[in-house]
Amino acid sequence: MTEKTEKIRITVLVENTAEGQGLLAEHGLAFWIEAGSQCVLFDTGQGGALLNNAYRLDLSLSRIDTIVLSHGHYDHTGGLADALRGNRPTAIYAHPDALKPKFARNQDGTSRSIGIPDAAQQALNGHRDRLVLIDKPTPLTGGLTATGPVPRVADFEDTGGPFFLDARCEQPDPLTDDQALFFDSPQGTVVLLGCAHSGVVNTLRYVQQLTGGRPLHAVFGGMHLVGASPHRLERTIDELRKLNIDRLGPAHCTGRTATFALWNTLPDRCVPCHVGTKFQFDP
Ligand SMILES: [Fe+2]
Ligand SMILES: [Fe+2]
């Protein structure tokens, strides 16, 4: 499924936490991936931190060849306007449903829009010819693969929130657009998660299925366990332990409770994953 992997360098560009001089945190996620000579941006954060952090980390957004959107929520797509300003990437990959209106129900019963913000949508409209809509596992540049929609198998996982396709909150949003990125390394598969609305266990099991059962070496990103029930948390941690992942970087919407639980349960496996964190994988 995956092409030959090149040396891959990953920098966390946007995340809910930041460490380093002048780096900004925001509720959102973006990974900067250098795969050989190719530059891939996986998600863009919500738009307040991307430019600043790219500047501070000495990463030129004009180098981006490919953008991949994990799903259509604002905290992953809001930086598109900045990412595309003056840039013309070769391709922007997303599932068609990422472009749909998206809403979350508030506790008081009202709703708020959480889809692609207007400015980002306008930027995307200006690059329609670069938009590649995908609905299945798709090999990208540099040995990376986008999972496409993830089969929902685990009975203890769901999308993780009151998400809807309409402002009246009548049509649940299955988040079919949710996808992860993965690539091969000598130690096993490396997976980057956006929000894992399909469930982190579902996602990792699917990646293993797509890679012929290769061991999972590293998993970084959002696991959307914020607000997860104790039962879901327990089952998830149990499954993650069984998957025997060498390096686990819970980030973004994993949430504090789950993040602390993971660090407590798997202290020798968990690694930081905040703005400025760098990971490198040799071919
Ligand atoms: Fe998110
Ligand atoms: Fe999300």
Side-chain angles (χ1 to χ4, degrees), residues 147 150 178 180 191 193 196 198-208:
T147 60
V150 175
D178 173 70
V191 184
L193 305 167
S198 309
V200 58
V201 174
N202 281 332
T203 304
L204 297 179
R205 281 180 181 167
Y206 187 47
V207 167
Q208 281 211 304

Side-chain angles (χ1 to χ4, degrees), residues 57-251:
L57 293 165
D58 203 19
L59 304 172
S60 170
L61 297 180
S62 64
R63 288 180 51 207
I64 297 169
D65 301 293
T66 303
I67 295 177
V68 185
L69 299 176
S70 67
H71 63 305
H73 282 162
Y74 74 101
D75 52 322
H76 298 254
T77 59
L80 270 174
D82 283 337
L84 292 173
R85 187 166 297 118
N87 299 335
R88 207 137 182 96
T90 309
I92 304 166
Y93 291 93
H95 184 277
D97 288 2
L99 309 177
K100 287 183 173 175
K102 290 178 178 291
F103 298 86
R105 188 173 55 212
N106 299 320
Q107 281 190 341
D108 65 1
T110 60
S111 68
R112 62 188 189 280
S113 170
I114 58 165
I116 302 179
D118 290 345
Q121 185 60 60
Q122 278 169 22
L124 209 45
N125 292 345
H127 292 74
R128 280 274 163 190
D129 58 329
R130 304 298 160 110
L131 189 58
V132 183
L133 297 175
I134 56 173
D135 63 359
K136 58 175 188 288
T138 305
L140 311 172
T141 186
L144 299 164
T145 300
T147 60
V150 175
R152 318 290 167 95
V153 180
D155 59 3
F156 56 91
E157 294 191 311
D158 58 27
T159 59
F163 300 124
F164 295 89
L165 293 167
D166 61 316
R168 294 164 67 92
C169 297
E170 289 172 347
Q171 244 190 299
D173 183 355
L175 270 302
T176 309
D177 41 325
D178 173 70
Q179 59 180 338
L181 274 193
F182 65 90
F183 58 90
D184 195 27
S185 82
Q187 296 85 8
T189 310
V190 179
V191 184
L192 297 178
L193 305 167
C195 262
H197 288 296
S198 309
V200 58
V201 174
N202 281 332
T203 304
L204 297 179
R205 281 180 181 167
Y206 187 47
V207 167
Q208 281 211 304
Q209 193 184 317
L210 294 173
T211 54
R214 282 274 287 158
L216 293 167
H217 172 53
V219 178
F220 309 118
M223 302 181 188
H224 210 88
L225 294 167
V226 64
S229 68
H231 171 69
R232 177 174 181 176
L233 197 49
E234 193 182 319
R235 291 291 308 274
T236 300
I237 291 176
D238 200 39
E239 292 293 330
L240 290 177
R241 187 195 287 111
K242 283 188 210 152
L243 285 167
N244 200 24
I245 301 154
D246 300 315
R247 289 203 271 171
L248 199 56

